[in-house]
Amino acid sequence: MESTRDRLINLLAENEDKFISGQALSESLNISRNAVWKHMKDLGKDGYEIEAKPRKGYRIKEYPDKLSSNTIKWGLESKWIAKTVIHKHSVESTQTIAHRAARENAPHGTIVVADEQTNGRGRMSRTWHSSKEKGIWLSIILRPEMPPNHASQLTLLTATVLADVLNSFEGVEPLIKWPNDILLNQKKTAGILTEMQAEQDRIQYILIGIGLNINHSIEDLSEDIQMKATSLKIETGKEWSIKTIIQRLLTAFETSYDLYMKNGFHPIKEKWEHFGFKIGENIKIQTFSDQWEGKFLGISDEGALLTESIEGKPVKLYSAEIDWF
């Protein structure tokens, strides 16, 4: 259920090109005009620029760039994603919050976003450094009607969305390192963690966790990852609006997800291979039983890595240690 404040912001947003009177707001929200005035004061303290004129009323002139559920929703043109936004200033991991929300029946498309993660995690329980207000730390709750064995395709879909969004910025040329790392200049700038709760033939929910380094300087990265990680700011030399990139990312994700549910995985596979790191080149592969060097051929229709086997024949790998560099 929307709070009075959310409803107030929505009313102001719907009337952004004109003033709306205190009386009209009072009647719509079923609160006193004095309460409307107090809400306006509170919005001002949060960074909203409210213009008030006698006998005309109020209008929002500018929204704050800092993250909140309202600023993310403001200007976001979506059909289903981020209709529910859970924003936290600091959490151990947005995935933890998203699991809890999903178990409490948070709807499809709910997002959890944080200014900071104190214990962010990536694949195989690796630590993800999530500096305060420097990047995008976000989880998306999905409830797709699809077989559980297709869930890994959503990781690859998300990677193509991130690559597309980054590729839209001038001078930025992302590549995807299988299955889910986004590289700029061969350094990691984003990762994706997909987790699922499912029964044998039915998905209860899927969480897509995204970590994207935006405004880190090199000093913001710990010494142990400075040679392996980067950020949009490091690569472009300028600061970026995290809120704006979140909105672009969510819009692109919704479009791509809807097309995937309609048309299947093949268009995602083609786009992934367009951005694929080291496709056509030799990579070193280690499985539980073997170690060899073979050409990276692309990904399969299921999203597995396609490479040459020891005998030089195409082989699918669903899990392996790859020496990419």
Side-chain angles (χ1 to χ4, degrees), residues 21-202:
S21 72
Q23 184 62 36
L25 290 169
S26 171
E27 291 173 359
S28 296
L29 300 172
N30 197 28
I31 59 176
S32 69
R33 292 189 63 173
N34 189 51
V36 170
W37 179 83
K38 287 181 178 178
H39 276 293
M40 294 299 179
K41 286 292 186 184
D42 288 340
L43 288 176
K45 291 175 185 175
D46 283 350
Y48 291 81
E49 188 176 339
I50 307 293
E51 184 178 11
K53 285 192 174 181
R55 294 187 296 279
K56 282 193 171 183
Y58 304 93
R59 72 181 181 97
I60 288 184
K61 289 182 67 177
E62 191 172 333
Y63 277 67
D65 194 52
K66 67 180 181 179
L67 293 185
S68 72
S69 59
N70 287 316
T71 57
I72 290 170
K73 290 178 184 178
W74 164 245
L76 177 66
E77 296 182 2
S78 66
K79 291 176 293 194
W80 52 264
I81 201 165
K83 296 303 180 184
T84 300
V85 177
I86 301 169
H87 170 255
K88 301 290 185 181
H89 294 297
S90 181
V91 296
E92 285 195 358
S93 166
T94 59
Q95 292 287 90
T96 303
I97 304 297
H99 273 294
R100 187 182 308 145
R103 288 194 295 267
E104 294 173 356
N105 298 317
H108 176 75
T110 295
I111 71 162
V112 179
V113 61
D115 299 332
E116 171 189 49
Q117 292 183 126
T118 58
N119 191 26
R121 64 184 190 274
R123 289 176 67 244
M124 303 173 79
S125 299
R126 295 186 176 112
T127 299
W128 181 272
H129 300 267
S130 312
S131 305
K132 188 173 184 179
E133 298 179 348
K134 295 288 184 178
I136 294 173
W137 326 122
L138 180 148
S139 296
I140 304 171
I141 299 174
L142 301 172
R143 299 187 184 276
E145 293 184 5
M146 57 190 280
N149 63 344
H150 286 183
S152 62
Q153 294 179 352
L154 292 176
T155 304
L156 302 168
L157 178 153
T158 306
T160 64
V161 169
L162 282 167
D164 257 344
V165 170
L166 291 171
N167 195 52
S168 68
F169 302 134
E170 186 176 355
V172 180
E173 298 181 0
L175 293 172
I176 306 172
K177 180 165 73 68
W178 185 85
N180 63 348
D181 288 346
I182 308 300
L183 306 181
L184 298 178
N185 284 332
Q186 298 199 11
K187 292 184 178 182
K188 184 172 178 175
T189 193
I192 301 156
L193 176 63
T194 301
E195 297 178 315
M196 176 174 63
Q197 185 69 35
E199 298 166 6
Q200 186 171 358
D201 59 350
R202 177 178 170 271

Side-chain angles (χ1 to χ4, degrees), residues 236-272:
T236 63
K238 63 180 182 178
E239 294 261 341
W240 296 82
S241 164
I242 291 174
K243 181 196 75 175
T244 300
I245 295 177
I246 286 176
Q247 291 179 328
R248 292 179 70 165
L249 172 60
L250 293 174
T251 302
F253 184 91
E254 181 180 84
T255 299
S256 185
Y257 179 91
D258 287 347
L259 288 173
Y260 165 72
M261 296 303 286
K262 180 181 179 181
N263 300 323
F265 183 66
H266 188 71
I268 303 298
K269 166 181 156 65
E270 289 187 338
K271 183 171 284 190
W272 194 102

